[in-house]
Amino acid sequence: NHDLRAQKLQQQTILIAMGLIGAACGALAWAFGRIRKANARLLFESQHDALTALHNRRYFNETVLVRGTGGPFQGCVLLIDLDHFKQVNDTFGHPAGDAILAAVGERMTKALRASDLLVRWGGEEFLALLDPMSDAELNAATHRILSAIREEPVVWNGQRIPCTVSIGCARFPIRGMGVAVSLERAIGLVDQALYEAKRRGRNRACLLTAVTAETERELAAINADFAAATADRRVLLVESIATGPAGGSGIGVGGAGGVHSASVGGLRG
């Protein structure tokens, strides 16, 4: 009887120990799961813009730009900037500006493909990277963005706030350019096209279609005075202009002085 009681006690002790070990393993698994979820959340928050939920510039610099340092960039770059955004903030307040940024981010996401990368570049500026395509296809993509932003005002606190964007874009390698450019330098060229779209009146896209630069020196001269390079046709642009009142969806095309014309669905000139 004494031996049976001892054996039973030993079995009970083993069962209790196994239960404690199982509970400890379960607690550890739960804790590790919480840690993994917390780390995933922290990673997401560090790589995404809190307002628009788009990837942020930190993600771009640490992930995309690092991958693109191995050689010449091939693909399409777009820089998209909200027009008169300071005026919106001054008139309606910063919460209204935040609502517009969030709405614009959502509309551009819908206008682009799932494979395209859209980044909150900073302030009221966004960057998009698209796979290689023709100038006509890229021009069509800018039309979709221009239309998506201006077709409906953003409604905030009972106010209907119209908004438009300006776009600079190009596909790489660019026709006529003998200098290979990295992704970072490609963004610099597209930034010049964005500035040109702003200079010409906003609410439009300027697509770089050709750059005459066989040497680094010639490319540096173009970067130093982009307007002059456009005027003397060392740089060729297609200018797509959004027409009609804000809240409409009309897209028109204009061109003057070294600017090629474009029509919806194709390029000419």
Side-chain angles (χ1 to χ4, degrees):
N1 290 338
H2 180 270
D3 291 341
L4 288 174
R5 285 197 299 271
Q7 186 177 6
K8 187 175 181 180
L9 180 61
Q10 185 180 28
Q11 290 174 346
Q12 291 174 340
T13 302
I14 292 172
L15 289 174
I16 293 172
M18 291 177 65
L20 291 173
I21 292 171
C25 289
L28 285 173
W30 176 83
F32 285 137
R34 290 290 299 272
I35 292 171
R36 282 196 298 270
K37 289 181 180 179
N39 287 338
R41 185 177 67 253
L42 289 174
L43 179 62
F44 182 90
E45 291 173 353
S46 71
Q47 295 182 340
H48 290 77
D49 174 58
L51 183 62
T52 63
L54 298 174
H55 284 296
N56 58 24
R57 195 159 183 167
R58 176 179 178 178
Y59 168 83
F60 182 87
N61 290 337
E62 294 180 353
T63 306
V64 181
L65 197 59
V66 170
R67 292 202 307 263
T69 57
F73 173 68
Q74 295 187 16
C76 302
V77 179
L78 296 84
L79 282 173
I80 306 111
D81 191 81
L82 273 163
D83 296 328
H84 305 296
F85 188 68
K86 183 179 184 302
Q87 182 179 339
V88 170
N89 279 331
D90 291 343
T91 303
F92 300 99
H94 289 279
D98 289 346
I100 287 176
L101 287 169
V104 165
E106 183 178 356
R107 291 179 186 183
M108 285 194 293
T109 299
K110 292 179 179 178
L112 295 171
R113 301 167 302 182
S115 59
D116 299 329
L117 174 66
L118 183 61
V119 177
R120 172 90 183 276
W121 197 237
E124 65 271 27
E125 193 171 11
F126 300 82
L127 176 141
L129 291 185
L130 283 60
D131 292 332
M133 62 181 65
S134 68
D135 282 341
E137 290 171 322
L138 179 55
N139 190 53
T142 66
H143 279 293
R144 290 197 303 272
I145 294 172
L146 288 170
S147 296
I149 302 307
R150 67 177 282 106
E151 64 185 2
E152 290 291 338
V154 175
V155 178
W156 179 83
N157 201 23
Q159 300 279 346
R160 292 173 61 84
I161 307 173
C163 54
T164 62
V165 295
S166 299
I167 304 173
C169 57
R171 69 180 181 94
F172 295 87
I174 297 178
R175 178 168 57 91
M177 189 161 66
V179 180
V181 297
S182 64
L183 174 54
E184 191 169 11
R185 296 178 70 188
I187 293 170
L189 277 169
V190 168
D191 190 52
Q192 296 271 25
L194 171 61
Y195 179 81
E196 189 67 13
K198 292 284 189 182
R199 189 183 70 83
R200 296 186 183 196
R202 299 176 172 82
N203 190 29
R204 68 196 65 211
C206 281
L207 164 61
L208 276 167
T209 60
V211 176
T212 303
E214 292 295 331
T215 66
E216 291 283 354
R217 184 175 180 178
E218 290 175 347
L219 182 58
I222 288 172
N223 278 320
D225 196 342
F226 193 82
T230 303
D232 63 23
R233 300 182 66 85
R234 284 175 291 154
V235 169
L236 300 182
L237 294 169
V238 168
E239 182 181 9
S240 301
I241 307 170
T243 61
S249 58
I251 297 292
V253 176
V259 179
H260 283 209
S261 295
S263 59
V264 177
L267 304 179
R268 69 176 187 272

